Amino acid sequence: MPAGVAVTRRRALVVLGSAPLAAVARRGDALPPELLGTLPQAQLLGEATLRYLGWQVYDIRLWADGPRARDRPEAARLALELRYARALDGSAIAERSLQEMQGIGPVSRDQGERWLAALRGIFPDVDKGDRITGLQLPGEGTRFWVNGRSAGELRDAEFTRLFFGIWLSPRTSQPRLREALLGKAASS
């Protein structure tokens, strides 16, 4: 999730960091296969690369039914696809996600415990090249895929708002990444 990396012996752990981001241009890429049944008309709105201390953490792409998602992403059916550039611990991804969500809006202790348990069950340890895709269904919930395979669903509108807010909320810890995803920043 928007964060930097600290390396351990075999895996990298997600930690907070603010690092320069570089948008990547690959507009010819096709819609991820897992989205064909749920967002068949989706367009690639933007993409970026998260780097920390010069290390590439992941590439992220935003898919939406149309460009109106740029103005109100919280109300749009959209998907975020993360392609990891290094090995990361799944439990650390889940914990970092919850911390980032707490920066977007209030999360009660009970919510946080439920959401963290669910995320730990969804996010595996990832290796270079692995993909996690999340589909935002406003007012309903979130569906997840790992490498194109269904990984779980959380039917909780507040979770969905805060989770996608990690990248798309004006309160994100990574405003340059947000601008690139929403197609509001020039590629660098």
Side-chain angles (χ1 to χ4, degrees):
M1 314 304 90
V5 194
V7 177
T8 62
R9 285 180 61 190
R10 287 190 22 94
R11 290 224 141 344
L13 299 176
V14 180
V15 296
L16 180 60
S18 59
L21 300 175
V24 293
R26 287 179 303 199
R27 298 276 179 204
D29 284 0
L31 183 67
E34 59 269 24
L35 299 176
L36 290 174
T38 54
L39 284 178
Q41 303 300 316
Q43 303 169 3
L44 180 62
L45 293 188
E47 54 192 331
T49 296
L50 180 69
R51 296 182 184 279
Y52 181 71
L53 298 177
W55 292 10
Q56 182 179 351
V57 181
Y58 57 70
D59 291 328
I60 183 169
R61 302 189 301 173
L62 173 63
W63 301 91
D65 279 336
R68 289 183 297 161
R70 285 186 173 110
D71 299 323
R72 293 202 56 231
E74 71 283 357
R77 286 174 41 98
L78 54 80
L80 287 169
E81 175 194 24
L82 283 75
R83 181 175 302 273
Y84 290 87
R86 56 189 347 90
L88 296 172
D89 179 80
S91 185
I93 293 171
E95 291 168 13
R96 185 75 228 153
S97 297
L98 181 60
Q99 290 171 356
E100 291 287 333
M101 291 166 69
Q102 291 167 329
I104 304 300
V107 176
S108 73
R109 171 173 259 182
D110 289 341
Q111 281 176 317
E113 289 173 2
R114 279 193 319 272
W115 294 348
L116 183 58
L119 289 171
R120 283 181 173 151
I122 291 169
F123 297 150
D125 294 347
V126 296
D127 289 312
K128 181 178 180 175
D130 284 344
R131 292 182 311 114
I132 296 179
T133 305
L135 173 66
Q136 173 179 274
L137 300 167
E140 295 177 40
T142 303
R143 291 183 195 152
F144 292 98
W145 292 266
V146 175
N147 295 323
R149 293 191 177 125
S150 179
E153 180 173 358
L154 274 82
R155 298 198 59 80
D156 185 323
E158 185 64 4
F159 169 86
T160 298
R161 183 183 74 79
L162 294 173
F163 182 79
F164 284 86
I166 292 171
W167 300 274
L168 302 175
S169 168
R171 297 186 64 179
T172 181
S173 67
Q174 299 291 335
R176 290 176 55 201
L177 184 138
R178 176 184 187 268
E179 289 177 3
L181 288 174
L182 294 173
K184 295 181 177 185
S187 295
S188 55

